[in-house]
Amino acid sequence: MWIARELSKCSGCRRCEIACSLFHEKRIWPEASRIRIFMLAPGVEFPHFCAQCEDYPCIEACPTKALSVSKETGAVLVDANTCVGCGKCIEACPGRIPHMHPTENRILICDLCGGNPQCVKVCQEGLWGVLRAVPRRTHPYKLYARIPEEIARDLAAKILGEEGEHLL
Amino acid sequence: MCGYAGKFLEIDLSTKNVKEMRFNEEVLRDYVGGRGLAAKILWDRLGNRWETVDPLGPENTLLFLTGPLTGFFPGGRICVSGKSPQSNGVVGSTVGGEFGIELKCAGYDGIIVSGESEKPIYLFIKDGDIEIRDASHVWGMDAKRTVATLTRECRTILKQRYPLKGEWKEPAILYIGPAGENKVRTAVVAAKWSHAAGYGGYGAVMGAKKLKAIAVKGTGPLPEVADIEAVQRLMQEVCNNAYENESWRRWGTGSGGYEFGAMTSSEPVRNWQEEWHNEKSFGVDKFENRVWIKQYWGDFGCPTTCLKLAVVRFGQFKGAITDNPDYELQAYLGTNLGIFTPEANVYMASVIDDLGLCGIQTGNVLGFVAELFQRGILTKEDLDSIEPKWGDAEAFAVLAKKIAYREGVGNILAEGTYRAALKIGGLKGVDVMPYAVQVKGIGVGAHGIRSGKDYPHICSYVCSVQCGDHTSVAYMPLDEPNSEHIRIFDDSGVICFFNTFGLPSNLVFDFYKAVTGIELTKDEWVSTKAMKIIQLQRAMLLLGGPDLKWNPEIHDDNPPRFYEPLPSGPFKGKTLEKARVDEEKRKYYALVGWDERGIPKSDILKKLGLHDVDKALEKLR
């Protein structure tokens, strides 16, 4: 499966971060959420999370083989016991999406909640229409793995117009 | 204690001394957080010399406080307080955004700032690491450039210091614009570009302390709660309630400029000379279809996301960007100035936001000036060649800039409506107080009381301890949903009032129990804890000083304008009778334990354990 995204509609409510951290950490813990809302300028909020590149460069780069692809969902799975938190996957990711757990020495990457992504659930429930779970088909998913600055620049131009880029 | 990070950060900007402190559980149980705790802290620290404390002097204590429900109850806010440069009392002023949540995740329930810095500084808090950083490069910057510069700067620092962590999310920032730097009494403490803690004038207090901003990044979880399942269930209940109310989500209070104002005949028009208009050009559909580019915009955890983002794409005001205007700003930077087009209104709001001014308070003072100009009391010569004619957004924008920089006539207007009225009255030898629509130094929110169709009552502003603040109005009975005694809970638990609409009133107390484990009933809250906070705020308001003092016999009253008959609309001719207002006032005094002169009585203060307050008020009796 894949999560389709309509970034410019993001309200910045962060209910996805809350749902994600409650599901994975049993706490409200924005920094430990696998999906993160960046707000490099107000009004230009967007969710940043794994795009599941078809060639999975993060898995390629992992020296301890802590990362693998879920056969059911296509999500990247992190083996917490094998991960040494070296950060090689962050460097390999075209969007610098993986990030370190705030208190433990391991990497966090969206695992699609095993097929029932909580972020999609709350985003749908709230009718913001940013995140939607869709079947995975042939597609250059890598396009969606871009660094926050790049995404913010494009969105600022789209949402705020000419002035947008100056406000980052 | 569940729901609290457990410690507060205390910073003396004169000595640059930074330390952590804790309150004992009893204090947190009694005052909860936010506005309640602010009243307690200010009384304990400054109460014995309250009348001599200059709100803009180093001795004032500036507070940024979360509450136990911050981050859990959907919708993020933080409470800013201190001795108010507007009322000379205490105002609990809250602002939306992620600051409160980041602060709690950094391990702090609040920040207590005293002293004043010699040079402009900003605070950068990353979990337990506290830095006082030079802010001379951002001093003088407007809202948008301040946010952009500090966001970039703090992210660069985080990336350099912790390269292995990956990409860093931006910190949450509270800051002031030029108005705050210049100690303008209508300056706000701002978040994002345009979210503002407006009432109270705490932007001026930050400016006096040369504190340009506070940036905070917390990486921890929100504090432990007593019952996570109950918290999750209640969160869902709040969300479901919000989702059902699509009109509220879609339009928020932004539907008010025409619909609500016209319906209730309670919206300020041309400095409250009228409270009704029939300008359909100012309807929500015009805003929605012409300028709103983001239909849903919200803060941490918010299911309502009632904010909007507006951009003017063409014409005279092209390039104006701001978040609202919500009802208050449509009124105060629209109808109250005779402005009836969305583009001009958005432009005014963006100018005010960029300068770091309060839309309500500045709209109030601009309307006041425009009326004095209309009446010929102030002339073009008095106003540095500006002619503030009704509807002329450009002229009002120039005046607003003069206020923010205290240039020329702006220096007088920067003192806020009441103080400006005293000054102008003196200079001109005319009593201009009849045109000042304020209560005890605070411009009245955009909800008139003459038609009787809006929510505030005839004594709501008169008796409120936050004076003209429309979000904290006095009510009878005290446990009415809109009552100040109930709203103090939102400001103390520090949650968004807008997400409580349509919910059973005991839900917030259930929420409080789920988070803290402490049973609290509405009755107990109203009769003991809220009552205690009200008495503290009232005491400090009446002690006042050093430049102004309030005499309840004179100043516990509505603005003179509210005793004039409404000149237009379906409620034409309706007005307030002074005798009825006085009667209601006496009833309210009795209900909250104040004597016939409005001073809290000994017996209620002693019953609430406020013996020192009782002693301090002796001199007023």
Side-chain angles (χ1 to χ4, degrees), chain B residues 157-406:
Chain B
I157 296 169
L158 289 168
K159 283 202 224 183
Q160 279 165 353
R161 286 188 193 159
Y162 312 94
L164 267 182
K165 285 275 181 189
E167 287 295 304
W168 277 88
K169 283 203 297 184
E170 70 294 332
I173 301 171
L174 289 181
Y175 64 96
I176 52 170
E181 294 171 10
N182 297 319
K183 301 187 233 180
V184 174
R185 288 184 200 260
T186 55
V188 302
V189 175
K192 298 189 178 172
W193 286 336
S194 40
H195 295 12
Y199 283 115
Y202 296 113
V205 180
M206 272 181 86
K209 297 191 178 305
K210 293 238 171 28
L211 176 61
K212 176 72 177 176
I214 307 178
V216 54
K217 184 80 238 162
T219 66
L222 283 177
E224 290 279 4
V225 295
D227 184 347
I228 185 74
E229 275 166 29
V231 168
Q232 276 186 261
R233 181 172 47 75
L234 288 161
M235 275 170 62
Q236 192 63 47
E237 208 172 310
V238 177
C239 289
N240 290 345
N241 173 65
Y243 299 147
E244 282 164 17
N245 194 350
E246 181 58 22
S247 57
W248 182 240
R249 293 184 73 204
R250 187 171 185 87
W251 294 302
T253 68
S255 66
Y258 176 73
E259 281 81 347
F260 182 75
M263 203 162 71
T264 60
S265 288
S266 64
E267 185 176 43
V269 178
R270 298 179 195 90
N271 197 39
W272 295 89
Q273 293 181 83
E274 295 175 77
E275 295 186 19
W276 178 82
H277 66 86
N278 198 22
E279 301 279 354
K280 295 195 179 64
S281 58
F282 216 51
V284 67
D285 58 322
K286 293 284 180 199
F287 280 89
E288 181 175 350
N289 296 319
R290 290 175 77 86
V291 292
W292 288 356
I293 49 154
K294 199 173 236 186
Q295 188 71 62
Y296 298 104
W297 195 33
D299 301 316
F300 188 87
C302 183
T304 303
T305 47
C306 69
L307 298 172
K308 316 294 154 202
L309 199 63
V311 176
V312 180
R313 300 272 195 207
F314 51 83
Q316 190 186 357
F317 303 115
K318 186 178 167 195
I321 299 175
T322 187
D323 79 350
N324 277 319
D326 63 347
Y327 169 73
E328 287 295 317
L329 292 212
Q330 283 177 14
Y332 261 123
L333 299 176
T335 58
N336 197 49
L337 305 180
I339 290 170
F340 294 101
T341 64
E343 284 83 358
N345 185 218
V346 168
Y347 168 72
M348 277 308 295
S350 75
V351 167
I352 293 288
D353 291 339
D354 282 348
L355 295 169
L357 283 166
C358 171
I360 297 174
Q361 297 301 302
T362 312
N364 186 284
V365 83
L366 290 175
F368 169 67
V369 172
E371 184 172 350
L372 296 185
F373 179 75
Q374 171 200 313
R375 291 180 185 276
I377 296 169
L378 286 179
T379 62
K380 195 175 163 186
E381 289 67 47
D382 296 321
L383 295 167
D384 307 333
S385 303
I386 303 162
E387 296 182 85
K389 291 183 186 146
W390 300 118
D392 188 346
E394 294 282 16
F396 286 116
V398 176
L399 260 182
K401 281 172 200 156
K402 284 194 167 271
I403 292 175
Y405 291 96
R406 282 187 175 272

Side-chain angles (χ1 to χ4, degrees), chain A residues 7-15 17-18 22 26-32 35-45 48 85-88 90-91 95-104 107 122 125-128 147-149 157-164 166-168, chain B residues 71-72 74-75 98 101-102 105 144-145 147-149 151-152 155 159 163-171 192-193 217-225 228 231-232 235-236 239-240 243 246 249 293-294 296-305 309-311 313 318-321:
Chain A
L7 301 189
S8 63
K9 282 190 181 170
C10 178
S11 71
C13 76
R14 296 158 210 255
R15 293 214 61 79
E17 288 184 353
I18 294 171
L22 274 170
K26 314 285 173 246
R27 306 279 299 261
I28 296 179
W29 196 346
E31 289 293 317
I35 183 169
R36 295 181 296 163
I37 301 298
F38 275 78
M39 186 185 70
L40 301 192
V44 189
E45 298 85 350
H48 198 54
C86 67
K88 291 275 193 283
I90 305 172
E91 299 307 321
R96 292 182 53 83
I97 289 163
H99 58 112
M100 204 69 77
H101 189 285
T103 54
E104 292 166 28
I107 284 291
V122 288
E125 197 181 86
L127 300 175
W128 290 286
I147 61 167
E149 280 81 356
K158 177 177 177 181
I159 297 171
L160 303 169
E162 278 177 60
E163 298 285 309
H166 306 299
L167 300 173
L168 290 174
Chain B
F72 299 107
E98 282 68 43
I101 288 86
E102 291 284 358
C105 290
K144 294 189 181 83
R145 284 195 303 146
V147 172
T149 308
T151 301
R152 231 178 3 241
R155 279 190 76 223
K159 283 202 224 183
L164 267 182
K165 285 275 181 189
E167 287 295 304
W168 277 88
K169 283 203 297 184
E170 70 294 332
K192 298 189 178 172
W193 286 336
K217 184 80 238 162
T219 66
L222 283 177
E224 290 279 4
V225 295
I228 185 74
V231 168
Q232 276 186 261
M235 275 170 62
Q236 192 63 47
C239 289
N240 290 345
Y243 299 147
E246 181 58 22
R249 293 184 73 204
I293 49 154
K294 199 173 236 186
Y296 298 104
W297 195 33
D299 301 316
F300 188 87
C302 183
T304 303
T305 47
L309 199 63
V311 176
R313 300 272 195 207
K318 186 178 167 195
I321 299 175

Side-chain angles (χ1 to χ4, degrees), chain B residues 16-17 41 48 123 140 181 206 211 287 308 325 386 401 423-424 472 526 604 606 609:
Chain B
K16 307 280 186 279
N17 183 30
I41 294 172
N48 60 0
L123 299 175
E181 294 171 10
M206 272 181 86
L211 176 61
F287 280 89
K308 316 294 154 202
I386 303 162
K401 281 172 200 156
K423 189 85 193 260
I424 294 168
S472 185
V526 170
I604 185 145
K606 284 179 181 155

Side-chain angles (χ1 to χ4, degrees), chain A residues 38-159:
Chain A
F38 275 78
M39 186 185 70
L40 301 192
V44 189
E45 298 85 350
F46 59 89
H48 198 54
F49 63 107
C50 180
Q52 299 162 253
C53 305
E54 36 317 353
D55 57 347
Y56 296 100
C58 52
I59 296 180
E60 196 83 357
C62 178
T64 62
K65 300 201 175 352
L67 306 184
S68 61
V69 181
S70 159
K71 283 197 188 72
E72 292 78 43
T73 64
V76 177
L77 305 178
V78 183
D79 179 353
N81 297 323
T82 327
C83 176
V84 292
C86 67
K88 291 275 193 283
C89 56
I90 305 172
E91 299 307 321
C93 174
R96 292 182 53 83
I97 289 163
H99 58 112
M100 204 69 77
H101 189 285
T103 54
E104 292 166 28
N105 198 33
R106 62 185 170 94
I107 284 291
L108 300 172
I109 301 176
C110 167
D111 62 0
L112 296 171
C113 303
N116 182 20
Q118 300 297 303
C119 54
V120 172
K121 208 175 117 194
V122 288
C123 197
Q124 289 289 322
E125 197 181 86
L127 300 175
W128 290 286
V130 183
L131 306 174
R132 199 154 46 89
V134 295
R136 195 173 163 83
R137 298 273 161 84
T138 314
H139 184 79
Y141 292 101
K142 204 172 195 160
L143 271 180
Y144 297 89
R146 291 159 62 217
I147 61 167
E149 280 81 356
E150 256 185 73
I151 299 175
R153 249 198 314 277
D154 290 348
L155 282 174
K158 177 177 177 181
I159 297 171

